Each structure stands twice: as C-alpha cells, then as structure tokens.
Amino acid sequence: MRNKKLTLIETGGVSRYQEYVQAGIPFAKGELARPDGLALASQQGTLQPVQTTVLKKWHDGSIKWLLLDFTATVPAADSSNYYLVNSLEQLPANDQQMQVTRSAESWQVTTGAATFFIDTQLFRPFSRVVIADREVLLPDSASCLFDLDGAGKVLPVVASIQIETEGPLRITLRIEGRFNTKDGYSPDYCCRLHFFASSSHVILELTLCNRQPAEHPGGFWDLGDPGSLLFREFTLEFPLQEGFANTICCSPAQGSTPCSTADSGDTLAIYQESSGGKNWRSPIHRNRNGKVPFNMPGFSVTIGNEQVFKGDRATPVVWCGNSGNSGNKGFGVVLPDFWQEFPKAIEANLNVLRVSLFPARFPDLHELQGGEQKTTTIHLDFATSPTGLEWARAPLTVVASPDVYQASHVIADLPLSASGEVSSILTDLLVNGPELLLAKREITDEFGWRNFGEIHADHESAYHQTKEIFISHYNNQYDICGGMYRRFLATGNPLWGELARDLAHHLLDIDIYHTEQDREEYNNGLFWHTIHYIPAGLSTHRSFSREHLQAPDSRACGGGPGAEHCYTSGLLLHYFLTGNTDYRDAVIKLAQWC
C-alpha cells in the first residue's frame, strides 16, 4: 500500500490538540487485503495508532472503503497533513483501555477519564457520570422529556442497546425505544453515544421520529395533516450534584463576550427563535395555519428575568462548574448547528442543565409530519474548562488528497488534468463555487430544523411575478448531494463538504418517508422536488399542497414519493466518508422501494 495523505483543515479559529476525528478512505482493488499494521504519521514523522472499520470490500475481498478513527493536532485557521502508512514499528499501547460492562440494570462505559452508566429501562441518556470517583450528576435523575402540550411530560423507554463500534479509540452505542404516551401516538427515538479513549467528551446524536403515516387527503401533503405529531417540548435534563457548580458561563458565539452568573440561583438561558437573517420572517416558515409564528429575530440571553444580551446567530458554549476547583473543570455543552436548526435553547443554574432540542418557549407547537424525523448532534464534556469545548462549534474537516480518490477508481467521474488540478466539469459551468449556494440560503432563509441543508430551487421562479419571496425546494434532484461530495473530494474545499453534509442530513431526516404504514409505493420512499413554477405552499418539501388548487391548471397536482426521481449516490458517499450506517441502510431501503 502506498502512503495516503490526509489534510486536516481548521475553520473555526481555535487551535486543536488531539481532537478525535473520523475519515473514510478508498483503496484500489487489491491494494489492501487487511487493515492490520496501519498507522498515521504526522508531518514530523511521529507515528500514532489508528482505529479502523471496514465499510466496503471489492469483489476479490480486498478493502474498498476504510473508516479511520484517530486524533489530530492543527493550528488555528490552518491545516496539518497526516499520512496513512504501513508501520513495522510496535506502537505503544493505550494506557487507558476502553471497556463496556453490561448488567440487567445498566451498561457501563469506561474511557480512562470517565465512567458512564446507561439505564437499560429508561433513556436519560446517562443514569450516572463519574469523574475521578466523583459523581457529576444526581444518580438516576437525568431525563429525556417529551411534552404533548398539556398531556404531561412522558419518558422514553429503552427497547434495545447495542454496540455499533468497539475499538481502542472509540466506542459507539446505539439505543432505540419509544415514548410511552397514555393516549394518542407514541414517537420513536434513536440515540448514538460516541465515547473516546482517555476522554470525558461524548458526542450524542439523538433522533426523534414520527413513524405514523400521513393521511394526505386528496393527494395533498400539507402541514396540519392528521398524521402529524404536534408537541410542546423535547428536552434533555441533567440535574447536577450539590456543590458541583457555583458558576454558569455562556459564550454565545466565537469571539463574543461571555455572560456568566456566580454564586447565584438565577437561571442563565440562551434561546434561538429564528435565523436572525434579513429574511427571518420568510414564508418558508409558515406553520399549518399559514402563519409565520416567530416573535423575535435571532437569539437572546437572559439571567433570571433580565435580558442581558441579544443577537442574530448563536453557536453557544454553555458551561457549569466550580470556579474554585483545581483546573476549573466543569460540564460543558455545544450544539454545532444551534442557530441553523432553530428553535433551540440551553438553560442552566446551579442545580440543573437543560438542552431543549424543541423548546417549550417557542410561540407555537412543533409539528413533526407523518414519516418525518429530526436528528440533532450534541457535544457534552463532563470535565472541561469554560472554553474547552469551543472547538466543537466547528469540528475539523478531513479530506484525502485528490490523487487518493483518483487512484482508487471508486469514483469514475473525478477527472484530473495533467497538472494534477481538477479539470472543468459540469458543475464548474453551472456553479462558480460553494459560496454561491451558501448565499442562496439567505434569499429564502433556508434555515430552521426542517429546512436547513435543502437547496433553494430558484430556477422554478421563472414566471414569478410578485415581490414575495418564492419558496421552492430542490430535494436532491439529479443527485446534487453526490455532485457536491465529488467537488469536495476533488478540490479539498471544506465548503463543498459542508454543503454536502448538510444536504445529506436533510435528505435522511426530511425527504425520506419513514413509515411502513402507508401505501406500498410510498413507504420508505423519497419525496422529489416541489411542484414546478408554483410556490411550495404548505407542503414544505413534500411536493403538493392544497394551495395548488388555485393554480391555473390544478390537474397536475397530487401524488407522493416518486421513484422516477430517486438519487442515492450522495447518501452512499456520506456513509463511506462518515461510517454512519443509517445512510447505508437508507440507500438499501430506497433500492428495495424502487
């Protein structure tokens, strides 16, 4: 195997030291039979271990795609190169062994820096967290709360826990279950917990899913459908041990002045209600009643009943700790897409920290349509400084050099010129660069938990006559997700990777119909673009709205997911680059659906 160059790109303006990262790397047929003996070499030649997971093999049994787990050090606003090599040296063993211990009541994950306990009956997500023999949380008090607006908060039961990944550097658990409501429909949830060697840091990926089918009367797929789930709140709550914290800090965004409380019982809260952009009241945000429910542009920070700060867009670091403790270590939390996937809220006092993925403070009920889901990524660190999680606002971007993808022949349409530069291909003729697509988000305010990642179909506005913002969604037509990933792999430009990642997340959650209870031709299918040359109405990303009955020719209205427009190469590339099996499974389900 020839050495493979990996470039780690830092875009958040924060120096990184041994940050845990993942990268999927391709190999040519016959190039690598087994991953044994692989290591990473820094630019200075220092070797370090790497954890590997085989994602795909060639027909001859050799490895086609390999997922790498490793740590990287990169200066602020800079990049560092690492090289995947076959090492003949015996690398030093990790002193702190990762370990999973199972019992009937709980699972225990030991990382060397912390011990986490996971309840087998109720999803909390942690029943206990122990750092250096000290309890961080009140045992068996943390909870995941779901409120169906007046029906009372209900707790999620655990149906299954399984190990998805187990190695010397990272362990991933997958927890699935549902909320047991007494009346009405109970949504499902799925949570991935990523643990890292010698670390108190955990990445939590939490999905709330409404598997109830839409009724789509008359072939229309509007908000307010009887199959929708209307709810008030979805929140994680972490009660703290007495004496654990005497200070709460919140840094709303990179470079902003932190807000803090000290020795006060007041609650510090940061709440993002809308995007804070120029078009924050865009019709893209209309609810089931056709109204935009927002009262506030951007975000606010309050301490007690007093507003102490407000702004447009927040990606906050919230920290609870005891400023008198040695090393000033405490409990920190970051949601990397806090403002982009509004509404969101984090609040804390000396007794509890609450992370609201769907906040009760929002001036409307939240609506999860039939077959729709939403996944949120949360970074938690139970022994960090007030600034120790700033890096999590913008984790490192990893890309191999273009010749690695070219030589592997896993992507046929990734041409290079003789000079090694990317040759002109179709996207060069249509899109000057990723900055243009990012700017288009602002035109319609393509933000919020349901819209973020989607592509604005501005070409459908060709016959639009009024000054009102025209809403139309592209929904991955002609595999723009795959196209953006190809540009990312060919150029190494992190903005292409960011766009592709955001669209892949949107596709999986919003554009795929996650139900088995509708007509066979709809179940697990992919919604295509919204209707041509007409605003999307109240159909969000689902093609046809009752408002289209006012169109000059309404005979074209009706339908649901359509297999004539089923593009999955981008979803598959996302799986190969991240190892997230949900994207692999989505591709298989879409193939079966077709």
Side-chain angles (χ1 to χ4, degrees), residues 187 208-210 227-231 358 366-374 449-450 510:
L208 181 69
C209 183
N210 177 11
S228 290
L229 181 67
L230 298 175
F231 60 101
F358 290 89
H366 308 285
E367 178 176 353
L368 196 63
Q369 297 180 100
E372 194 172 52
Q373 67 180 33
K374 182 57 192 174
W449 67 266
R450 176 178 285 121
I510 307 303

Side-chain angles (χ1 to χ4, degrees), residues 182-226:
K182 293 181 180 179
D183 302 308
Y185 174 73
S186 298
D188 292 353
Y189 74 88
C190 174
C191 179
R192 277 189 175 87
L193 296 172
H194 301 267
F195 304 93
F196 305 94
S198 304
S199 177
S200 55
H201 169 233
V202 180
I203 297 177
L204 185 153
E205 296 169 323
L206 182 56
T207 302
L208 181 69
C209 183
N210 177 11
R211 297 195 184 278
Q212 189 169 233
E215 292 190 10
H216 46 84
F220 301 116
W221 297 75
D222 287 295
L223 291 170
D225 184 279

Side-chain angles (χ1 to χ4, degrees), residues 455-509:
I455 303 298
H456 174 40
D458 56 349
H459 61 288
E460 300 289 1
S461 65
Y463 306 110
H464 188 55
Q465 300 296 324
T466 71
K467 293 183 179 180
E468 185 181 47
I469 296 173
F470 183 86
I471 306 301
S472 186
H473 298 297
Y474 205 65
N475 291 47
N476 197 41
Q477 288 310 288
Y478 312 109
D479 209 353
I480 193 170
C481 182
M484 291 188 296
Y485 263 133
R486 292 182 183 94
R487 299 300 292 149
F488 170 59
L489 299 179
T491 66
N493 185 334
L495 291 180
W496 281 121
E498 177 184 330
L499 281 163
R501 177 207 65 190
D502 295 343
L503 179 53
H505 292 174
H506 172 86
L507 281 167
L508 183 67
D509 281 347

Side-chain angles (χ1 to χ4, degrees), residues 254-522:
Q254 185 68 36
S256 64
T257 302
C259 308
S260 67
T261 69
D263 296 315
S264 165
D266 288 337
T267 295
L268 186 153
I270 182 166
Y271 165 62
Q272 182 95 35
E273 183 167 294
S274 63
S275 75
K278 177 182 178 181
N279 296 317
W280 66 280
R281 289 190 60 84
S282 164
I284 200 174
H285 304 302
R286 291 199 302 159
N287 64 10
R288 62 201 175 282
N289 300 316
K291 307 295 184 183
V292 176
F294 309 151
N295 296 325
M296 181 181 77
F299 73 91
S300 68
V301 180
T302 57
I303 297 178
N305 296 320
E306 180 184 357
Q307 179 175 285
V308 297
F309 192 85
K310 64 178 181 179
D312 295 329
R313 294 172 171 177
T315 309
V317 177
V318 177
W319 181 86
C320 309
N322 195 317
S323 56
N325 281 350
S326 174
N328 203 21
K329 299 297 185 181
F331 176 24
V333 59
V334 172
L335 280 68
D337 293 321
F338 187 87
W339 74 262
Q340 294 93 330
E341 297 188 339
F342 67 83
K344 292 287 182 286
I346 304 173
E347 60 183 55
N349 55 42
L350 304 185
N351 300 314
V352 63
L353 184 144
R354 304 176 83 245
V355 182
S356 292
L357 311 184
F358 290 89
R361 182 176 168 182
F362 187 65
D364 191 15
L365 293 176
H366 308 285
E367 178 176 353
L368 196 63
Q369 297 180 100
E372 194 172 52
Q373 67 180 33
K374 182 57 192 174
T375 303
T376 306
T377 298
I378 308 169
H379 290 259
L380 305 168
D381 197 323
F382 294 88
T384 188
S385 69
T387 59
L389 267 184
E390 286 191 352
W391 63 268
R393 289 178 166 129
L396 290 170
T397 299
V398 190
V399 62
S401 58
D403 67 291
V404 170
Y405 305 105
Q406 177 72 11
S408 69
H409 302 292
V410 297
I411 302 174
D413 55 346
L414 195 70
L416 298 178
S417 66
S419 64
E421 297 178 352
V422 181
S423 67
S424 177
I425 57 178
L426 183 59
T427 50
D428 295 322
L429 305 177
L430 300 177
V431 180
N432 293 328
E435 295 82 2
L436 179 61
L437 288 175
L438 288 169
K440 284 186 177 184
R441 289 175 171 174
E442 303 290 345
I443 297 172
T444 57
D445 205 60
E446 202 84 50
F447 302 109
W449 67 266
R450 176 178 285 121
N451 301 310
F452 183 57
E454 175 67 276
I455 303 298
H456 174 40
D458 56 349
H459 61 288
E460 300 289 1
S461 65
Y463 306 110
H464 188 55
Q465 300 296 324
T466 71
K467 293 183 179 180
E468 185 181 47
I469 296 173
F470 183 86
I471 306 301
S472 186
H473 298 297
Y474 205 65
N475 291 47
N476 197 41
Q477 288 310 288
Y478 312 109
D479 209 353
I480 193 170
C481 182
M484 291 188 296
Y485 263 133
R486 292 182 183 94
R487 299 300 292 149
F488 170 59
L489 299 179
T491 66
N493 185 334
L495 291 180
W496 281 121
E498 177 184 330
L499 281 163
R501 177 207 65 190
D502 295 343
L503 179 53
H505 292 174
H506 172 86
L507 281 167
L508 183 67
D509 281 347
I510 307 303
D511 289 339
I512 293 178
Y513 191 34
H514 302 277
T515 187
E516 301 280 354
Q517 303 173 46
D518 207 328
R519 294 162 60 175
E520 187 177 6
E521 62 267 34
Y522 294 159

Side-chain angles (χ1 to χ4, degrees), residues 166-177:
E166 186 171 18
L169 299 181
R170 178 173 63 95
I171 290 174
T172 302
L173 300 187
R174 181 186 182 101
I175 308 170
E176 293 183 330

